Amino acid sequence: MNPTQPKRRSRLAAKIIRRPGRSIALGALTVFLAGCSLESGPENGQNALRPKGEVAEKIDNLVTPIFWVAIIIATLVLIATVYIAIRYRHRKGSEDRPKQIHGSTPFEISWTILPAVILAVVAIPTISLIFDLAEAPKDPINVTVVGKQWWWQFDYPQQEGIKQKIITANELHIPTGRDIAFDLTSCDKSLGTVDENAACSVIHSFWVPELSGKRDVVPGHRNTLTFRADNPGTYLGQCAEYCGLSHANMRFRVVAESPDDFAKWVANQQKGPAVALADAGDAENLFVKKYGCSGCHGTMDSSQSVYGPNLTHLASRTTFASGYYPLNRANLIDWIYDAPSLIPMESKECRLPPPATCVGMPSFAKDTPPGMPTMTRTEAAQLADYLLQLK
Ligand code: CUA
């Protein structure tokens, strides 16, 4: 231990006591700057105070007035606390004590009734909005969200406009001006999404700050959520419930597009792969036999629900690894070769093929799964080139 440390600490403490004004000013400035994301501030893409859809607007319209009510109450309480502390402080040489009182019926009644009235007033719009948001939307697009460790599966069941089930990952396409009704789960037998391992035994939370509030994604349980995007654009989402090593990397994107563009996206997702696995040359052998990628990833049919993300139309996405890396050749090669070096994953002592014991992609460069050869960069490139053709 450094012997000068306690001394230093006490000097710092003395400084703070001698000059409390400076410390208070610095603290206040920090808090003030932490809130610097006003209307005119930079667009960070994850600002719940800049709603971009009907549901988010309703929530914002409730939060803002209640925030100001809370600020007024907090300010009055703070002023009263500081005033009383100064007014009735102990003074040197004076033995006077303020007049001691116990119990005041008017005060007792008023500070019971006043908060009750304020809470009742706040409750009226709050409860009415809770019921409003819980109402089933009319003519929605249905999407099932499945939280995995650590990525998102978006599953569009067969419905009007979607002739055949679509399963995609991490990039959710929606049409503008239409309610999207979500079923959310982390593990659900009725959906056939139960993975008999740890990868679906944790709670996630689905959150697109600009479009709606959060909703927990719970194993073996279905939650619902509805939102709508008014304008085309890409909205950022994030897992908002701690779910293990790569919780912070568990991102996703909502791509809102015109109904026509959405229909084009649907049509493309329902096509077969741009390159059939059988025509993929050496990549077929690597993908199926040598490294067993096909045990976890489907590339032949976008309605296939498998252990890892469905890759039938991987190249139609802009990102991969739960929205963490831009999809390009260099990133994809690095990922295939040694994914755990790019994002923390529990893939040591990985056993493949499924039921896999690892959570996340194994490394094919080191600590390879038992019985599996070490991959070369050339092989990783061959696999990447095959996958990048799957538009
Ligand atoms: Cu999933 Cu945090």
Side-chain angles (χ1 to χ4, degrees):
M1 177 157 171
N2 184 347
T4 64
Q5 250 177 12
K7 242 188 213 168
R8 246 190 234 158
R9 206 177 299 145
S10 64
R11 244 185 270 149
L12 180 69
K15 241 187 202 172
I16 291 173
I17 291 164
R18 240 185 297 126
R19 301 219 178 109
R22 267 192 205 179
S23 310
I24 291 168
L26 192 65
L29 184 69
T30 310
V31 172
F32 176 73
L33 291 177
C36 274
S37 189
L38 303 171
E39 279 302 308
S40 56
E43 180 90 56
N44 65 14
Q46 284 192 312
N47 191 343
L49 301 176
R50 284 170 182 248
K52 300 279 169 63
E54 199 195 3
V55 169
E57 264 156 31
K58 283 180 180 172
I59 296 171
D60 190 54
N61 290 342
L62 177 68
V63 167
T64 307
I66 292 178
F67 170 78
W68 287 112
V69 169
I71 285 289
I72 291 167
I73 294 171
T75 308
L76 292 177
V77 169
L78 274 175
I79 289 173
T81 309
V82 171
Y83 170 77
I84 290 168
I86 294 174
R87 173 85 172 72
Y88 298 109
R89 73 189 186 279
H90 175 72
R91 290 183 171 86
K92 240 187 196 169
S94 160
E95 288 306 311
D96 284 354
R97 300 185 72 197
K99 190 179 148 204
Q100 301 296 298
I101 50 168
H102 177 77
S104 158
T105 310
F107 270 126
E108 299 277 355
I109 290 176
S110 51
W111 68 46
T112 305
I113 289 182
L114 192 64
V117 169
I118 294 171
L119 287 179
V121 169
V122 167
I124 295 168
T126 307
I127 293 172
S128 102
L129 183 63
I130 289 171
F131 280 99
D132 181 6
L133 294 183
E135 243 170 64
K138 286 188 193 84
D139 187 33
I141 301 257
N142 295 296
V143 178
T144 299
V145 174
V146 186
K148 309 259 193 163
Q149 271 175 317
W150 290 272
W151 57 282
W152 299 92
Q153 179 171 292
F154 301 121
D155 178 337
Y156 300 67
Q158 203 179 29
Q159 56 197 293
E160 209 194 314
I162 301 180
K163 283 176 293 184
Q164 183 203 320
K165 186 183 177 78
I166 297 171
I167 291 182
T168 186
N170 306 320
E171 288 185 16
L172 172 78
H173 283 248
I174 61 170
T176 50
R178 182 123 176 238
D179 283 337
I180 315 298
F182 295 99
D183 263 330
L184 306 111
T185 185
S186 169
C187 219
D188 192 330
K189 280 205 169 92
S190 67
L191 292 169
T193 55
V194 177
D195 303 319
E196 301 297 338
N197 59 42
C200 69
S201 64
V202 298
I203 300 176
H204 306 273
S205 181
F206 179 79
W207 191 29
V208 190
E210 291 181 325
L211 297 180
S212 91
K214 299 171 186 172
R215 193 67 92 237
D216 273 3
V217 178
V218 182
H221 176 81
R222 295 174 87 141
N223 273 341
T224 58
L225 176 77
T226 304
F227 67 54
R228 181 203 297 209
D230 292 336
N231 302 305
T234 300
Y235 303 93
L236 301 181
Q238 168 73 46
C239 180
E241 178 70 47
Y242 181 66
C243 56
L245 274 183
S246 266
H247 156 70
N249 309 320
M250 195 170 162
R251 305 168 185 187
F252 60 99
R253 280 168 167 70
V254 178
V255 182
E257 49 205 358
S258 69
D260 283 352
D261 287 346
F262 176 71
K264 277 181 207 153
W265 177 81
V266 168
N268 184 57
Q269 297 298 308
Q270 288 176 331
K271 279 188 206 152
V275 174
L277 194 48
D279 302 331
D282 289 347
E284 184 197 2
N285 179 44
L286 301 175
F287 195 81
V288 180
K289 291 201 190 107
K290 198 164 177 189
Y291 298 109
C293 315
S294 57
C296 290
H297 299 280
T299 53
M300 299 309 288
D301 180 355
S302 62
S303 68
Q304 249 182 319
S305 175
V306 268
Y307 179 75
N310 186 305
L311 305 178
T312 310
H313 294 282
L314 173 71
S316 70
R317 302 174 201 153
T318 56
T319 59
F320 71 106
S322 210
Y324 198 77
Y325 287 101
L327 183 67
N328 59 45
R329 188 170 186 267
N331 284 348
L332 197 56
I333 293 173
D334 288 345
W335 180 261
I336 294 166
Y337 187 61
D338 189 7
S341 70
L342 300 185
I343 278 180
M345 284 188 280
E346 290 159 22
S347 39
K348 281 254 164 98
E349 292 160 38
C350 208
R351 239 189 337 100
L352 289 174
T357 50
C358 50
V359 176
M361 277 268 285
S363 169
F364 292 105
K366 51 179 189 276
D367 308 319
T368 47
M372 208 158 266
T374 306
M375 193 182 277
T376 64
R377 295 284 298 183
T378 313
E379 288 174 326
Q382 281 174 314
L383 284 165
D385 288 337
Y386 157 59
L387 293 172
L388 287 172
Q389 294 176 68
L390 303 179
K391 297 268 187 219

